[in-house]
Amino acid sequence: FAMRIPLPRAPPGAVAAPGLLANLAAVASRESALGGVLTPSPAMERDRLRGAWSKAASEGGHKMTQPPPPLLHASGAAAPLQPLRFPPDFRVLHVEDDAMLRKTMDLRVFRKMNVPYDVAQDGAEALRLIMQERRPYSLVLMDNQMPNMTGEKATRALRESGFSGVIIGMTGDPTGCPERTDFEASGLNACFDKDRPGVQRVIATLQQHALGA
């Protein structure tokens, strides 16, 4: 499955300087197709386009007052997975503000692989679970663009507190945009895209932690 990514129009009130739309088209053309295991939601497309718009503006030396509008849904079939056995102390924290994506990962990945996990809806809740409630997590899947506290700020706070577990970023921000660059430098072990290859990399990471792997 592949989805053509249309060039978004500038929102009302935003002023596109000469060359910005060309830069945005170039950024959009480098985006990977969405589909397969992961079904992108409006929030995912919002994050991706916010980053693409920001990157296009920065490449051309321009500034935009607002991000572009979201794209439409894309859909795809989930890949079959097998349940696995994990060590007794292994647990995942999925930090994601998009309820649809949380449900998608629950039904299409975590349940099928028998992964023990908890969820947090933003970076602030993740810090509370890890730093205040002292819940032990071997692996944290961290979104970046979230209300209250971004994944970048949450990751920096966790590393500064001494958290040594694996933190994997999952973001719709395109490679090279300022938001993703800062996120990747915040203390992540890896940063995956919110697309089918990215989810497959998450699955491969989980399989590496399973007993008998």
Side-chain angles (χ1 to χ4, degrees), residues 6-206:
L7 180 63
R9 296 182 180 180
V15 178
L20 176 59
L21 294 181
N23 287 333
L24 182 58
V27 172
S29 68
R30 295 195 293 267
E31 293 296 297
S32 56
L34 298 172
V37 174
L38 185 61
T39 301
S41 69
M44 291 168 59
E45 289 303 300
R46 172 206 65 201
D47 293 347
R48 186 191 66 79
L49 285 174
R50 180 187 290 115
W53 200 259
S54 174
K55 182 180 180 182
S58 64
E59 287 179 352
H62 311 300
K63 293 183 179 180
M64 294 301 297
T65 58
Q66 300 178 40
L71 297 180
L72 298 177
H73 253 70
S75 60
L81 299 174
Q82 298 295 325
L84 301 174
R85 292 192 307 115
F86 292 90
D89 59 348
F90 179 80
R91 195 166 191 86
V92 172
L93 177 62
H94 185 206
V95 188
E96 172 62 59
D97 66 314
D98 182 1
M100 184 175 295
L101 181 54
R102 292 198 304 268
K103 193 65 174 179
T104 298
M105 292 293 289
D106 171 38
L107 295 176
R108 299 188 179 184
V109 178
F110 297 143
R111 290 195 188 187
K112 290 188 176 182
M113 297 183 69
N114 198 31
V115 177
Y117 80 103
D118 295 323
V119 297
Q121 297 186 25
D122 55 45
E125 186 176 3
L127 291 185
R128 178 178 61 79
L129 293 175
I130 296 175
M131 298 174 62
Q132 296 182 15
E133 298 189 12
R134 300 294 180 181
R135 297 191 190 182
Y137 294 106
S138 305
L139 190 152
V140 178
L141 295 179
M142 182 78 74
D143 183 25
N144 189 24
Q145 305 290 349
M146 296 180 289
N148 300 320
M149 180 179 285
T150 64
E152 176 204 344
K153 292 181 179 179
T155 300
R156 291 187 187 280
L158 287 173
R159 293 310 191 198
E160 290 173 359
S161 73
F163 180 76
S164 59
V166 175
I167 306 178
I168 295 178
M170 286 196 72
T171 180
D173 297 330
T175 301
C177 78
E179 291 85 354
R180 179 162 181 153
T181 299
D182 292 342
F183 189 31
E184 291 174 341
S186 65
L188 298 178
N189 295 92
C191 189
F192 302 157
D193 293 321
K194 286 184 179 179
D195 58 8
R196 183 175 183 177
V199 175
Q200 292 294 340
R201 294 178 71 183
V202 171
I203 291 172
T205 301
L206 293 170

